[in-house]
Coordinates of all heavy atoms in Angstrom, one line a residue:
N34 N 36.1 -18.8 62.5 CA 35.8 -18.0 61.4 C 34.5 -17.3 61.6 O 33.4 -18.1 61.6 CB 35.8 -19.0 60.2 CG 35.6 -18.3 58.8 OD1 35.1 -17.2 58.8 ND2 35.9 -19.1 57.8
C37 N 31.2 -18.4 59.6 CA 30.6 -19.7 59.8 C 30.5 -20.2 61.2 O 29.7 -21.1 61.5 CB 31.1 -20.7 58.7 SG 32.9 -20.9 59.2
G38 N 31.5 -19.6 62.0 CA 31.5 -20.0 63.3 C 32.4 -21.3 63.6 O 32.5 -21.9 64.7
D39 N 33.0 -21.8 62.4 CA 34.1 -22.9 62.6 C 35.2 -22.5 63.5 O 35.5 -21.4 63.5 CB 34.4 -23.4 61.2 CG 33.3 -24.0 60.4 OD1 32.2 -24.4 61.0 OD2 33.4 -24.4 59.2
G63 N 34.5 -28.0 62.0 CA 34.2 -27.2 60.8 C 34.3 -27.7 59.4 O 34.4 -29.0 59.4
C64 N 34.7 -27.0 58.4 CA 34.6 -27.6 57.1 C 35.9 -28.4 56.9 O 36.8 -28.3 57.6 CB 34.5 -26.5 56.0 SG 36.0 -25.3 56.0
S67 N 39.2 -26.2 56.6 CA 39.6 -25.6 57.8 C 40.3 -26.6 58.7 O 41.3 -26.5 59.3 CB 38.7 -25.0 58.6 OG 37.7 -25.8 59.1
A106 N 36.2 -17.1 50.1 CA 35.7 -17.6 51.4 C 36.5 -18.8 51.7 O 36.7 -19.2 52.9 CB 34.2 -18.1 51.0
R107 N 36.8 -19.6 50.8 CA 37.6 -20.9 51.1 C 39.0 -20.4 51.6 O 39.6 -21.3 52.4 CB 37.8 -21.7 49.8 CG 36.5 -22.1 49.4 CD 35.9 -23.4 49.9 NE 35.2 -23.2 51.1 CZ 34.7 -24.3 51.7 NH1 35.0 -25.5 51.3 NH2 33.9 -24.0 52.8
K109 N 39.6 -18.1 53.6 CA 39.4 -17.8 55.0 C 39.5 -19.1 55.8 O 40.0 -19.4 56.9 CB 38.2 -17.1 55.2 CG 38.2 -15.6 55.0 CD 37.2 -14.8 55.8 CE 37.0 -13.3 55.7 NZ 38.2 -12.6 55.2
C110 N 38.8 -20.1 55.2 CA 38.8 -21.6 55.9 C 40.2 -22.1 55.9 O 40.6 -22.5 57.1 CB 38.1 -22.5 55.0 SG 36.4 -22.1 54.6
L113 N 42.5 -20.1 58.7 CA 42.2 -20.0 60.1 C 43.1 -20.7 61.0 O 43.4 -20.0 62.0 CB 40.7 -20.8 60.3 CG 40.3 -20.9 61.7 CD1 40.0 -19.6 62.4 CD2 38.9 -21.7 61.7
Ligands
FES201 FE1 33.7 -22.4 58.1 FE2 35.2 -23.3 56.3 S1 33.1 -23.0 56.2 S2 35.9 -22.4 58.1

Side-chain angles (χ1 to χ4, degrees):
N34 182 342
C37 59
D39 292 348
C64 67
S67 71
R107 304 269 91 183
K109 279 205 182 343
C110 305
L113 176 61

